[in-house]
Amino acid sequence: MASEPDRRRAVMRFALAALYIAAGFAHLAVPDKFLAIAPSWVPFPIEVILVTGVCEIAGSIALLTTPLRWWAGVALALYALCVWPANIKHALEGIDVPPIPNSWLYHGPRLVLQPVLIWWALYCADVIAWPWRRQRG
């Protein structure tokens, strides 16, 4: 029978995979909306947006597999770190990207929760155990 931390990680893993699959398909379906928030220093921005969509979908699938889980967690955590500049630009420049609200009620929590997404990917992939350490038996 699975332990509580194992069940918690499994639920978190499926939720994160669902979030990234949805985001990945959004990147592929409407890349122009993401183009508006891409920082100007990103080379080939439309291609980068399409590749990130594929990476989000691939990372989601890999996160659900045992052999690739650890690597997927690391990759999705790094991905969340790398897209932070786009989220910052989106917030600071007040760029309208419907249906996302152009409000600090959205942007504030979004920016603050980015480290949570990074932690979430690492935790549910069993890269880290913090804050719930495993008890030694």
Side-chain angles (χ1 to χ4, degrees), residues 31-125:
D32 54 312
K33 292 197 177 203
F34 294 93
L35 187 59
I37 65 170
S40 60
W41 48 263
V42 172
F44 308 105
I46 202 76
E47 290 82 0
V48 168
I49 290 163
L50 294 172
V51 167
T52 59
V54 170
C55 289
E56 286 172 315
I57 294 166
S60 297
I61 294 166
L63 190 62
L64 300 177
T65 69
T66 304
L68 298 174
R69 181 170 300 147
W70 191 92
W71 290 106
V74 170
L76 290 172
L78 288 172
Y79 171 80
L81 179 64
C82 290
V83 299
W84 214 345
N87 298 330
I88 292 168
K89 176 183 177 182
H90 188 193
L92 295 181
E93 295 183 13
I95 299 167
D96 251 347
V97 183
I100 297 169
N102 187 10
S103 158
W104 276 98
L105 293 174
Y106 166 80
H107 294 303
R110 176 72 177 96
L111 292 175
V112 169
L113 291 175
Q114 197 72 17
V116 173
L117 277 176
I118 294 167
W119 167 83
W120 187 355
L122 296 173
Y123 179 77
C124 75

